Amino acid sequence: MRNRTQKLTEQVYYQAQTSFRTMEKLAEEAVQLKDLKMLFGKYVPQNNLVHFPSQRGVGKSWLCMQICMAVAGEWDCFLGEPITLHGNTLYINHELSPNTMRRRSRKLYAGLPQSLKDQYHCFVYTSRAGLTTELAAIIQYIEKYKPVLIVIDNLRMAFTDVDVNNNRESTRIMNMLLALCDTSSAALIITDHFRKHTGGQLSGSDLQSGSGIKTDLSDADFFMRRSCQDKSLRILKRDKSRHFEEDPRAKLIRLNPETLWFELVAEDVNEAEHIGLNGLKEKDEQKDMAQTLRDQGKSIQDIATILGKGKATIHRWLKIDGE
């Protein structure tokens, strides 16, 4: 192993490790590694950079605050997802005002679905300045309190000085976040948004706004979106992961309007029924969606079920023979 100094900001430098091994040697060394622990099931594995793009106003911040509280409060699971690693958590708030965070925290503590243990704490760092400016101060808190989970809410506000649509700039952002993951040994969730006009598409890594580099360089991603069946219902789905298989299932959760805590409704639902794909009226829209679903790897039977059409119709629209 060899360390190489890498500059992250004017004040912060990162000791990047380099190594040269045979693949056989790497396999031997892997025997000493422990299995990954979970901060929120396979959605947020230990020491992973997790990209969390979702619709605007869907409740991303509420969910991330609740995950932080569940991890620090030593809950065994949250929304049906196991938590096997507990410790301090750090919520880096670049979007909401201090008073808004106070009111939200008070609301969550008033409506706790179960008690919190007090060995660990959920810390909140609020700043309107960008992450590049605040990184040195944040690292001091990380070194002192050693959080096992860090949330950065949200990417655009954390990097207001950067063009997040530019691949080169996005690569620099992701490199900084990966370095923060490596040095802190914490899992890191970065919240983000969907691009426009994605309401009629199934959840997938290509729905995130801006440069696709963010998805390419993250270790995992997951999404939350509204259900068309009820204003309090949300779909939660994970997609990319470097460690686990992709999960075709979608989880249905509910935002309790009284407590503002999310509650599990069902583990496995048909996402299409909740985002309104079978409600597309125009034939051309249905054809376009059929092709989009096909490009996403869906089978003819899957597409027929999602759009509420016969398999023969889907065959004809896509001009597929021999399947």
Side-chain angles (χ1 to χ4, degrees), residues 31-32 43 50 58 65 111 120 126 138 141 147 155 167 172-173 191 257 285:
V31 176
Q32 307 300 321
Y43 286 78
V50 180
V58 76
M65 291 175 71
Y120 303 114
T126 297
I138 289 171
Y141 286 112
L155 186 141
N167 282 346
R172 186 172 66 83
I173 288 173
T191 68
E285 288 182 339

Side-chain angles (χ1 to χ4, degrees), residues 22-45:
T22 65
M23 195 175 295
E24 182 180 12
K25 182 63 175 176
L26 291 174
E28 293 173 358
E29 294 173 348
V31 176
Q32 307 300 321
L33 298 177
K34 297 179 180 179
D35 291 339
L36 286 172
K37 294 186 177 182
M38 307 299 163
L39 283 305
F40 182 54
K42 293 180 179 179
Y43 286 78
V44 187

Side-chain angles (χ1 to χ4, degrees), residues 11 20 127 135 140 166 188 193 197 222 228 251 261 265 279:
Q11 296 175 291
F20 184 76
S127 173
L135 189 58
Q140 290 183 349
N166 181 279
L188 196 158
H193 294 113
H197 312 302
F222 71 98
C228 64
K251 186 190 295 281
W261 275 88
V265 177

Side-chain angles (χ1 to χ4, degrees), residues 68-129:
C68 284
M69 293 173 67
V71 171
E74 299 187 64
W75 291 1
D76 293 330
C77 66
F78 178 53
L79 300 179
E81 296 300 317
I83 302 173
T84 58
L85 177 62
H86 302 100
N88 292 328
T89 60
L90 174 60
Y91 187 95
I92 303 174
N93 166 43
H94 287 287
E95 181 176 11
L96 305 175
S97 70
N99 280 341
T100 299
M101 286 301 297
R102 290 185 177 98
R103 292 189 176 97
R104 288 195 172 196
S105 298
R106 182 181 180 183
K107 186 70 175 179
L108 291 179
Y109 275 91
L112 285 171
Q114 67 182 82
S115 61
L116 300 170
K117 295 183 180 179
D118 56 9
Q119 179 179 357
Y120 303 114
H121 301 283
C122 178
F123 296 100
V124 178
Y125 187 96
T126 297
S127 173
R128 293 291 192 184

Side-chain angles (χ1 to χ4, degrees), residues 170-186:
S170 293
T171 299
R172 186 172 66 83
I173 288 173
M174 297 304 291
N175 183 57
M176 180 186 297
L177 297 176
L178 286 167
L180 186 59
C181 248
D182 289 343
T183 55
S184 67
S185 297

Side-chain angles (χ1 to χ4, degrees), residues 135-181:
L135 189 58
I138 289 171
I139 287 177
Q140 290 183 349
Y141 286 112
I142 291 174
E143 291 176 342
K144 181 176 181 180
Y145 295 106
K146 296 178 174 53
V148 296
L149 173 64
I150 300 171
V151 173
I152 298 177
D153 189 19
N154 61 54
L155 186 141
R156 189 171 292 275
M157 291 299 293
F159 296 98
T160 54
D161 56 335
V162 175
D163 180 6
V164 294
N165 295 312
N166 181 279
N167 282 346
R168 174 177 288 186
E169 291 294 285
S170 293
T171 299
R172 186 172 66 83
I173 288 173
M174 297 304 291
N175 183 57
M176 180 186 297
L177 297 176
L178 286 167
L180 186 59
C181 248

